[in-house]
Amino acid sequence: MFVIGFPEDLPHALRHLFGAELAESDASTLQIQALMGHVDLKTSAIYTHIAIRKMTSVLDSGNPLSKIQTPVSALLRELKNGRVL
């Protein structure tokens, strides 16, 4: 069934987004399994592999170059927070 303005796979996309958000908010694989209703733990583990934002955040926090302050640092902080100078 196709509803005007919505793709046919919208429920699947929303479910996938929910799983990814759980993984990025540090939910354990067992918690994801319970909330998503997966029978096999391997199915839930997929979401931990696609938590890209979480991985980049961890990588950025451990990067020694991120601790160097430059004239551009303030601008980057403002852009990251959604504000423009």
Side-chain angles (χ1 to χ4, degrees), residues 29-62:
T29 309
L30 290 173
Q31 291 169 327
I32 295 171
Q33 180 186 22
L35 291 169
M36 300 288 290
H38 293 147
V39 175
D40 189 0
L41 193 59
K42 291 178 186 175
T43 307
S44 303
I46 292 169
Y47 293 103
T48 60
H49 296 291
I50 62 169
I52 301 295
R53 287 182 289 183
K54 182 69 175 178
M55 286 192 294
T56 56
S57 172
V58 170
L59 179 64
D60 288 344
S61 68

